[in-house]
Amino acid sequence: MTAETDAINSLRASGLIDVLTWAAPVAFMATDELYDEDQGHGQGFVGYVNFTHYKDLVDRATSNGRFKLGDGLDGLGEDVLKRGITPGAFGSMPRLPAGAVVRRDFEQSPGWAIEGYRVLLQSYPFGKIDKIKWGQRSDAKKHVADQLFLEDGSLFTKEELGLEVIPGIPNDDFDGVTLIAAHAFNPTTKQFELYLGQSKNPAYADDSCWHWKILLLAGGTPAGGPGLPAAPTMPSRGASPDVEDVPVRIKPAGAGEGSGVTGG
């Protein structure tokens, strides 16, 4: 089993992939509602607002962050979970048991973890998934991209190297591999995409910035066709309107781009 397949299978079984693919278009819709080029909004606005909405939605579906359960509570009331999203978005939200996915932040970068894997978020300009310079993002993302990765077909196994598990990030107490959920949205064309993968710092100019990555979600057209549905008025403190009719393309498990994928 490849590193990519093992990661995808584990995250899918936990329900975290369902949460990520639900939350992404909901977040993009919310950003689209707020984006106004005439107010000077640009890529920085899109990246920050997408990130803020996305983080809140993942916390909402996994009972973390401001939706974390207090002692003695089995779950939050629907009135709390419904605040800020439309009935359609709430109705399609995956319902993960509390504790199935936990918050494990790294250097102030929000992360969500299951046994063996943690996922951090990263925005990027649409269409430039292979052009991310992790060292220019943050110290956290640079350190994540420095993780040891044993490629499939490597001359040595982790056992031969004297490793019980693949070591994670130095000076981090998380025992597992940290992955990146990279998301992009173009409010002009309504194109969007979501990738999941293990990042790396390129060793040379033409090297990839990923050990592997898989496209989880994509939609929209270059001509600005129907990428996101026409949105009703956002609820106050909203995270998104209804996204039930969002046209998306979801690749099946194991349909990734392979280990050692190069840019292009």
Side-chain angles (χ1 to χ4, degrees):
M1 182 178 294
T2 67
E4 172 186 348
T5 301
D6 185 52
I8 295 300
N9 287 347
S10 296
L11 292 170
R12 195 175 297 280
S14 73
L16 185 51
I17 282 185
D18 290 339
V19 171
L20 293 172
T21 54
W22 165 78
V26 176
F28 300 151
M29 177 65 76
T31 299
D32 191 49
E33 276 288 296
L34 297 174
Y35 179 83
D36 187 348
E37 187 176 7
D38 290 336
Q39 294 187 46
H41 296 166
Q43 183 58 45
F45 174 90
V46 172
Y48 176 77
V49 175
N50 270 347
F51 176 86
T52 301
H53 288 145
Y54 205 171
K55 174 175 69 70
D56 186 76
L57 290 162
V58 176
D59 276 343
R60 186 185 301 259
T62 61
S63 300
N64 284 295
R66 66 190 183 97
F67 301 97
K68 187 175 181 179
L69 301 181
D71 293 339
L73 293 179
D74 295 327
L76 292 177
E78 288 198 356
D79 59 328
V80 175
L81 291 175
K82 284 180 176 178
R83 293 174 189 166
I85 59 176
T86 63
F90 176 74
S92 62
M93 182 177 72
R95 304 296 182 90
L96 271 59
V101 173
V102 298
R103 275 288 291 268
R104 290 298 301 272
D105 299 351
F106 175 58
E107 294 186 353
Q108 299 183 334
S109 184
W112 297 266
I114 62 172
E115 184 176 358
Y117 294 98
R118 172 173 58 188
V119 177
L120 307 183
L121 302 179
Q122 178 62 59
S123 65
Y124 66 95
F126 182 86
K128 297 185 178 181
I129 185 64
D130 292 310
K131 304 297 183 182
I132 301 175
K133 292 180 172 56
W134 302 109
Q136 296 179 9
R137 294 293 174 164
S138 66
D139 287 343
K141 299 300 167 54
K142 179 182 184 301
H143 294 156
V144 168
D146 278 335
Q147 287 176 107
L148 177 64
F149 178 79
L150 292 183
E151 296 186 40
D152 303 310
S154 173
L155 292 176
F156 301 99
T157 66
K158 63 179 183 291
E159 290 80 8
E160 289 170 333
L161 291 173
L163 304 172
E164 293 184 2
V165 296
I166 301 300
I169 306 168
N171 302 317
D172 177 33
D173 61 0
F174 178 69
D175 184 14
V177 177
T178 299
L179 305 174
I180 301 292
H183 54 96
F185 171 61
N186 185 324
T188 301
T189 66
K190 313 307 180 188
Q191 290 173 279
F192 59 90
E193 55 192 15
L194 171 67
Y195 283 86
L196 180 71
Q198 184 171 349
S199 58
K200 75 170 181 176
N201 290 311
Y204 48 89
D206 295 329
D207 194 11
S208 174
C209 60
W210 297 94
H211 289 294
W212 62 266
K213 69 182 188 297
I214 180 173
L215 178 64
L216 294 180
L217 197 68
T221 65
L228 295 172
T233 303
M234 284 280 292
S236 61
R237 300 187 307 277
S240 168
D242 194 338
V243 296
E244 289 181 343
D245 296 327
V246 176
V248 300
R249 183 175 73 255
I250 302 178
K251 289 194 174 183
E257 298 181 28
S259 299
V261 64
T262 57

